[in-house]
Amino acid sequence: MSPKQVVFKKISKDKSVGVYMGRRDFVDRVGSVDPVDGVLLVDPEQLKGKKAYASLSCVFRYGRDDTDVMGISFKREIYMATRQIYPPLQDKEQGILTKVQDKLLRKLGDNAYPFFFEFPDNLPCSVGIQPSPKDSGKYCAVQFEVKAFCAESQNAKVRKRSTVCLTIRKVQYAPEQLGPAPCVQTTRDFLMSDKPLHMEANLEKQTYYHGEPINLSVKIRNDSNKNVKNIIVSVEQIANVVLYSNDSYNETVATEDSGDSVDSGAKLDKVYTLLPLMANNRKKHGIALDGKLKHEDTNLASSSIIKEGVLKEVLGIMVSYRIVVKLIVGGIMGTSEVGVELPFQLMHPKPEAVKESELEDEVVFEEFKRTYLKGMAEDEDEGNVSPAEN
């Protein structure tokens, strides 16, 4: 049976504008990014002579909602593009349409108009820092949003009931060409020991997928007169908030305290298995997560891949991973540590593309769930928002 063509839709509260999109995830391939395409449905009677606009924005948030009430802005607009969709500035027939847009225009009728946005190549991917369980405010995050609204002009005030907002994600998948498997070794000399301790650690590959076990090979040759009392292996996530303050979060997302020992003159050759999962870190504040769509779960943030020449300062939150191997070595003067680090990538595999010809002609609509702001009035005197606000 052919897969169904799912289209996500969201209608403004006053029914003046509605947005229809065939996807919510847009892939950053480092060299290029999927364009954002969709269809705007308008109701000319509800518009009452006003114009309809669509916008694509990228916002970096790093505060709670209630701080904005105090007059302090805790969000920074990284990118904003706005287009007039209705009345159209060019004939619909003259534009180049995607197949989804073409289907939607035929299904929705004469009051449907296509829109199209290109991502600049220097924008960050969707990622956020997990708040503590008690924190009800917005977390530190890079968020993308498609918005439609009607107004007298692009810069005029807009009523909330005449606005519809859809959260989308800009994501990266594992590269097709993978780098060499990480391998590291170290030799440690100790005071009053004629011979050293040697350790080698290596991974099977450079890139692992979310939910895939990571097998770590550790080889130790202990020619020293010290005893290795314990071996601890862990996966660490490093999230650097480079946009505004260069904060850094370093969190352990998987660990094994093995209790293995290696006596003086002995050897060890063992494979340890680690599994970094969001499910095991739900209550941990400070870990980075892949951009989350409302009412949906997410996973640990994927490793960031940077296009050459792009300034890191505009990339929001940079995420990387490493495995740390730590040996606890005992001696007369107390214990000491011997450690190595292996950087690796944690990402999603590139999904298999579904050919347009394999999709059913029938379109299945799925609602974007909407949560209205508390205290938003139902009458004509409700508060106004600017086109850039939620």
Side-chain angles (χ1 to χ4, degrees):
M1 184 177 179
S2 300
K4 295 182 181 297
Q5 175 66 69
V6 177
V7 170
F8 303 98
K9 72 171 185 176
K10 199 168 183 180
I11 311 295
S12 66
K13 196 170 184 182
D14 66 359
K15 312 297 183 184
S16 60
V17 292
V19 175
Y20 295 75
M21 299 179 66
R23 52 184 169 166
R24 295 176 292 185
D25 286 349
F26 298 85
V27 181
D28 180 349
R29 296 179 174 83
V30 183
S32 63
V33 186
D34 290 344
V36 177
D37 61 288
V39 167
L40 187 69
L41 181 65
V42 302
D43 185 336
E45 292 186 5
Q46 291 294 331
L47 288 177
K48 300 176 181 177
K50 295 179 180 179
K51 299 175 181 178
Y53 299 87
S55 68
L56 170 67
S57 64
C58 175
V59 175
F60 183 73
R61 299 182 183 275
Y62 49 101
R64 296 167 56 95
D65 286 339
D66 53 10
T67 53
D68 291 334
V69 179
M70 299 165 59
I72 304 173
S73 176
F74 282 83
K75 65 182 179 181
R76 175 176 169 182
E77 190 175 277
I78 302 175
Y79 176 77
M80 167 67 79
T82 304
R83 306 249 167 84
Q84 178 181 317
I85 308 300
Y86 177 84
L89 300 179
Q90 68 174 20
D91 194 305
K92 282 193 288 186
E93 306 301 326
Q94 295 179 357
I96 299 176
L97 303 175
T98 65
K99 291 189 176 181
V100 173
Q101 285 178 323
D102 184 58
K103 287 182 181 179
L104 286 172
L105 291 178
R106 285 188 278 110
K107 186 173 184 66
L108 297 176
D110 294 338
N111 291 326
Y113 299 86
F115 64 83
F116 191 89
F117 291 98
E118 292 275 7
F119 280 106
D121 61 3
N122 63 344
L123 292 182
C125 286
S126 301
V127 64
I129 304 297
Q130 178 166 262
S132 64
K134 296 181 180 179
D135 185 6
S136 59
K138 285 185 178 291
Y139 54 56
C140 172
V142 174
Q143 297 176 324
F144 288 86
E145 189 174 72
V146 171
K147 179 180 291 187
F149 61 94
C150 65
E152 299 288 348
S153 67
Q154 179 176 325
N155 299 318
K157 291 291 184 179
V158 183
R159 295 189 312 161
K160 293 175 184 177
R161 63 188 296 115
S162 302
T163 305
V164 57
C165 303
L166 296 75
T167 300
I168 63 172
R169 294 188 295 195
K170 180 171 174 281
V171 299
Q172 286 181 324
Y173 294 125
E176 295 181 359
Q177 295 184 346
L178 304 179
C183 178
V184 65
Q185 52 186 317
T186 186
T187 300
R188 175 66 65 86
D189 292 303
F190 298 97
L191 187 65
M192 302 179 66
S193 178
D194 294 335
K195 294 182 179 181
L197 179 150
H198 182 80
M199 174 173 57
E200 178 181 328
N202 60 77
L203 295 172
E204 299 170 316
K205 54 185 179 178
Q206 181 194 47
T207 303
Y208 289 83
Y209 300 143
H210 292 286
E212 179 183 7
I214 301 173
N215 293 322
L216 169 71
S217 174
V218 177
K219 298 179 181 180
I220 299 172
R221 188 179 71 248
N222 186 11
D223 294 328
S224 73
N225 60 7
K226 309 291 184 181
N227 294 326
V228 177
K229 293 186 173 183
N230 194 10
I231 301 173
I232 303 172
V233 294
S234 58
V235 176
E236 293 185 354
Q237 180 198 75
I238 302 95
N240 292 312
V241 184
V242 298
L243 186 63
Y244 76 101
S245 66
N246 211 27
D247 285 349
S248 182
Y249 296 85
N250 190 332
E251 299 291 341
T252 299
V253 293
T255 187
E256 181 179 344
D257 190 340
S258 70
D260 292 337
S261 61
V262 187
D263 295 335
S264 173
K267 296 180 180 180
L268 178 138
D269 188 345
K270 185 173 180 179
V271 174
Y272 297 93
T273 300
L274 296 162
L275 185 58
L277 289 174
M278 174 63 191
N280 301 327
N281 294 276
R282 291 190 183 280
K283 296 183 179 180
K284 186 175 292 185
H285 170 61
I287 63 171
L289 311 176
D290 269 345
K292 179 162 126 172
L293 297 174
K294 290 181 179 180
H295 311 288
E296 290 191 5
D297 207 346
T298 184
N299 50 262
L300 296 174
S302 298
S303 300
S304 303
I305 301 178
I306 309 169
K307 182 178 180 180
E308 186 176 352
V310 174
L311 294 175
K312 292 183 180 180
E313 288 73 16
V314 302
L315 291 179
I317 302 173
M318 304 295 299
V319 178
S320 61
Y321 290 89
R322 66 189 179 197
I323 286 182
V324 177
V325 184
K326 187 184 299 182
L327 308 184
I328 309 300
V329 182
I332 298 175
M333 303 300 292
T335 61
S336 59
E337 295 183 359
V338 178
V340 294
E341 298 176 357
L342 295 91
F344 72 98
Q345 293 178 336
L346 183 63
M347 306 189 76
H348 285 292
K350 182 180 178 181
E352 294 185 7
V354 178
K355 296 180 180 180
E356 292 281 357
S357 58
E358 296 177 355
L359 293 171
E360 289 185 359
D361 289 334
E362 184 65 24
V363 173
V364 177
F365 293 107
E366 182 175 319
E367 294 280 352
F368 264 88
K369 293 184 179 179
R370 175 169 181 161
T371 302
Y372 294 108
L373 298 176
K374 292 182 179 180
M376 191 174 78
E378 297 288 341
D379 58 23
E380 294 297 319
D381 296 325
E382 67 176 333
N384 294 329
V385 294
S386 71
E389 292 179 329
N390 288 335

